[in-house]
Amino acid sequence: MKPASLKTQVSSGGVIFRKHKGRIEVALIAVKGGTVWCLPKGIVNKGETPEETALREVEEETGLKGNILGKIGQISYWYFIKEENVKCKKTVYFYLMQYVSGSTDNHDWEVDESAWFPIDEAINKIAFKGDREIVEKAKRMILDNG
Ligand code: ATP
């Protein structure tokens, strides 16, 4: 078989949070039959800014609308796209978002679940180290800003 070729992708997503009963909660989505909890995100479309993508994808995937408070950071990982025999390096930008409206019941049919978790529980539930570090950084940003 021919060696895999390489490509890059850029996605954008968010940590959307609210204060609920005196606790900070963040929304996560579950994929792969509900087994993998991660942050909402998606590909940055042509003509879209990463901020616009983050707002759109968070709303589509979690059912929640938010306001961007600032950039948290970015992560990168490699994965293999079997159908294309391509190795892909994905970079994902993440933004901190304050919850405005909406319900996790209105999540995208493409994700298995969308739910609020107390922030420390979310950190424990997340499947990927990169996403986990982003939520840890988001927690520091929220606590620093009261
Ligand atoms: P997007 O949500 O950007 O449209 P997608 O759903 O097509 O993308 P990814 O979520 O990037 O694709 O998943 C591609 C592969 O990378 C999967 O095998 C997934 O398990 C893995 N993956 C997803 N997020 C991470 C991460 N933060 N770190 C490492 N691997 C990840």
Side-chain angles (χ1 to χ4, degrees):
M1 194 155 99
K2 277 205 303 187
S5 50
L6 307 176
K7 77 172 185 185
T8 57
Q9 283 180 341
V10 178
S11 282
S12 184
V15 176
I16 188 164
F17 74 97
R18 68 178 181 186
K19 299 224 169 100
H20 190 68
K21 296 181 182 164
R23 294 191 303 188
I24 302 165
E25 291 186 341
V26 301
L28 299 180
I29 57 162
V31 295
K32 303 200 177 186
T35 59
V36 170
W37 288 91
C38 58
L39 288 170
K41 59 141 177 57
I43 299 279
V44 177
N45 291 334
K46 230 175 151 188
E48 224 178 18
T49 64
E51 287 88 348
E52 287 167 343
T53 309
L55 290 167
R56 177 177 59 74
E57 288 286 346
V58 167
E59 184 175 358
E60 282 174 14
E61 294 196 328
T62 65
L64 308 171
K65 268 186 197 285
N67 272 336
I68 291 183
L69 300 184
K71 187 174 173 187
I72 303 169
Q74 66 191 67
I75 65 169
S76 288
Y77 52 89
W78 285 93
Y79 72 103
F80 185 64
I81 307 173
K82 224 176 175 175
E83 309 80 57
E84 301 174 33
N85 192 34
V86 163
K87 274 166 98 175
C88 182
K89 184 184 184 186
K90 179 171 285 198
T91 300
V92 191
Y93 300 105
F94 284 107
Y95 295 87
L96 184 64
M97 292 182 196
Q98 179 127 40
Y99 167 69
V100 174
S101 61
S103 162
T104 50
D105 294 341
N106 295 327
H107 70 78
D108 197 328
W109 59 269
E110 283 185 29
V111 308
D112 299 307
E113 218 180 314
S114 161
W116 289 106
F117 294 99
I119 196 157
D120 289 323
E121 203 179 309
I123 289 167
N124 284 327
K125 258 194 138 55
I126 288 173
F128 304 110
K129 182 163 171 268
D131 289 29
R132 188 154 57 239
E133 287 171 356
I134 289 292
V135 179
E136 281 166 349
K137 190 158 173 219
K139 181 182 170 185
R140 291 196 292 275
M141 288 169 75
I142 298 163
L143 294 177
D144 287 349
N145 285 294

